[in-house]
Amino acid sequence: MRRPGGWWRVKSTPEKVETYTRWSFHFFGVIEILALGVTAYGRTGVGLATALCLLVTAHAAVCMLVSARALDWTRGRRPQPVRQMWALVVVSAVVSTTAVVIAERGPSGEVETAAGSVYGGVLCYAAGVITLGVRGWRRRVAVVGAFAVGAGLLTFPLEMPLLASVVLAGLVMVTGGFLAATSIFSLWLLNAVYALDDAKETRVRLAVAEERLRFGRDLHDVMGRNLAVIALKSELAVQLSRRGRPEAVEQMIEVQRIAQESQREVRDVVRGYREAALEVELAGARGVLSAAGIVSEVTGETAGLPAEVQSALGWVVREATTNVLRHGDAKKVAVTVRMSEGRVVLTVENDGVTETTGDGLPGGPGGPGRSAGTGGTGGSGLSGLRERLSAVDGTLEAGPVGRGVFRLRAEVPLPSAAAGAALGVAS
């Protein structure tokens, strides 16, 4: 059963910012209802105030719809909400005209109060919302300017002085422009957050691609030369064999030697590709986490550890770091290496746990905690790490240890000689 507030914790950072932005636009509509509709009850009679409140509520609902559709259009999920924006223009004109009629024919004293507030307020809110659905600063300025001009023209039936009409149009221009600027800045911030998140994903993919290129380059350097020699010597052995020369046997023996040497070199390349040095992985994790804006703390010594132990623990650090970057929302990650009683213990804790996935690693919305950096070498997630640790008689524990905290703990026994050297270094 999901804990209260779990729907928020499972969201990624861009999704949280989008939810905040979306509900901020909806809150503008709530403010419109409270500021223009509800306050009418303190300025005029109940019947007239109810009519004005209903008009404002309908206008606010259309504003919420347009802002939501415009936000989806900005993110590329829907087409441009042209019909909805024109509907908002029509509703704004109807509400403003109705407010003018009420102000002109209603009881004395209500012209400058309830109806006047509704008249100017709905035009300001509409101008700010419609700018969400257009691109380019010229078009946005034109939208706000059109509403300001419309606000001034609609005052003529009220027989207002020219100066008052100009002032009202200026207020709509300034207020509508402020709301438009606020809305546009919110969209810019949202797009920037999504762009940063995409850049982080791209950085992870580039790291994987760079490692694959390195492996391919090393493999080509090893096999390219040897295969060329094997091909030449095989061709020479064929020619010598056809002539009945005994040197053909010597050439084939040389081919066999080169082939065996190539096998050994390929195994060395693959072994170096699969192994991960603990010190290197810790330094890499610190740099990547720092680049992602995550505070990292690394404590403990790694000197004196056997190569196979460093390789197994290095994979733990690599897998944990990758999952924090790809699926969590951590602000702080702590990595501790501790040696005592002939055992080395590696602990990785982060405060960005949302929910645990099927493999037990912290996961984010819509995807299991799999690593893009492990490729096909030994699997991924806890199962792959346990296989690597089992080769050195190690164990792995993972799970939440507090509210929003996830801990990954790997423990590996040390050989007696290595344990003595490691403890000597640690002391």
Side-chain angles (χ1 to χ4, degrees), residues 71-139:
L71 183 58
D72 290 337
W73 169 66
T74 302
R75 296 304 311 152
R77 303 185 189 121
R78 289 178 179 269
Q80 186 178 16
V82 178
R83 294 182 179 180
Q84 289 80 1
M85 290 191 295
W86 278 112
L88 179 57
V89 172
V90 172
V91 172
S92 301
V94 171
V95 174
S96 300
T97 303
T98 304
V100 169
V101 173
I102 292 176
E104 186 178 20
R105 299 184 180 181
S108 177
E110 296 178 358
V111 175
E112 292 83 9
T113 55
S117 298
V118 171
Y119 168 74
V122 295
L123 295 178
C124 294
Y125 277 103
V129 170
I130 289 181
T131 54
L132 294 173
V134 295
R135 288 197 176 102
W137 65 270
R138 293 182 179 179
R139 294 181 179 179

Side-chain angles (χ1 to χ4, degrees), residues 173-197:
M173 185 75 177
V174 173
T175 307
F178 174 77
L179 292 174
T182 303
S183 302
I184 294 169
F185 178 77
S186 298
L187 286 183
W188 174 84
L189 180 62
L190 176 62
N191 291 329
V193 171
Y194 268 106
L196 288 175
D197 188 68

Side-chain angles (χ1 to χ4, degrees), residues 335-386:
V335 182
T336 304
V337 181
R338 179 172 52 87
M339 288 171 282
S340 63
E341 299 179 357
R343 307 183 74 84
V344 57
V345 179
L346 170 68
T347 304
V348 182
E349 288 187 359
N350 73 86
D351 60 356
V353 63
T354 53
E355 291 183 340
T356 55
T357 60
D359 60 2
L361 287 173
R370 292 188 296 270
S371 167
T374 58
T377 58
S380 60
L382 292 186
S383 58
L385 295 180
R386 285 197 174 98

Side-chain angles (χ1 to χ4, degrees), residues 135-338:
R135 288 197 176 102
W137 65 270
R138 293 182 179 179
R139 294 181 179 179
R140 288 162 176 164
V141 170
V143 168
V144 177
F147 273 92
V149 172
L153 294 177
L154 284 175
T155 58
F156 284 99
L158 298 177
E159 298 180 355
M160 292 178 62
L162 179 61
L163 180 60
S165 299
V166 173
V167 170
L168 180 59
L171 288 175
V172 173
M173 185 75 177
V174 173
T175 307
F178 174 77
L179 292 174
T182 303
S183 302
I184 294 169
F185 178 77
S186 298
L187 286 183
W188 174 84
L189 180 62
L190 176 62
N191 291 329
V193 171
Y194 268 106
L196 288 175
D197 188 68
D198 292 340
K200 184 173 70 174
E201 291 291 333
T202 301
R203 185 170 60 249
V204 174
R205 289 194 296 268
L206 287 176
V208 176
E210 183 178 358
E211 183 65 13
R212 289 174 177 171
L213 287 175
R214 184 192 69 81
F215 178 72
R217 184 175 60 251
D218 293 346
L219 193 60
H220 177 270
D221 292 341
V222 170
M223 296 299 297
R225 180 189 69 255
N226 291 350
L227 288 176
V229 174
I230 289 174
L232 290 174
K233 286 187 171 294
S234 299
E235 183 179 356
L236 178 58
V238 170
Q239 296 297 332
L240 292 173
S241 178
R242 287 176 178 175
R243 297 175 184 177
R245 301 285 296 274
E247 292 87 349
V249 177
E250 296 178 0
Q251 295 297 327
M252 291 307 300
I253 292 175
E254 184 66 13
V255 168
Q256 183 183 28
R257 186 192 65 79
I258 296 174
Q260 292 173 346
E261 182 69 15
S262 299
Q263 286 181 326
R264 185 187 62 79
E265 291 180 353
V266 168
R267 282 196 297 267
D268 291 340
V269 170
V270 174
R271 185 181 301 110
Y273 177 73
R274 290 186 175 182
E275 290 181 353
L278 180 56
E279 187 66 30
V280 175
E281 292 300 327
L282 290 175
R286 187 187 295 109
V288 172
L289 292 173
S290 176
I294 301 174
V295 178
S296 59
E297 295 182 358
V298 180
T299 57
E301 293 290 339
T302 61
L305 293 177
E308 62 272 13
V309 174
Q310 289 210 32
S311 177
L313 295 180
W315 274 103
V316 175
V317 175
R318 182 182 298 183
E319 183 76 15
T321 303
T322 302
N323 278 278
V324 168
L325 291 174
R326 289 179 60 85
H327 305 294
D329 190 21
K331 301 298 184 294
K332 181 179 180 181
V333 176
V335 182
T336 304
V337 181
R338 179 172 52 87

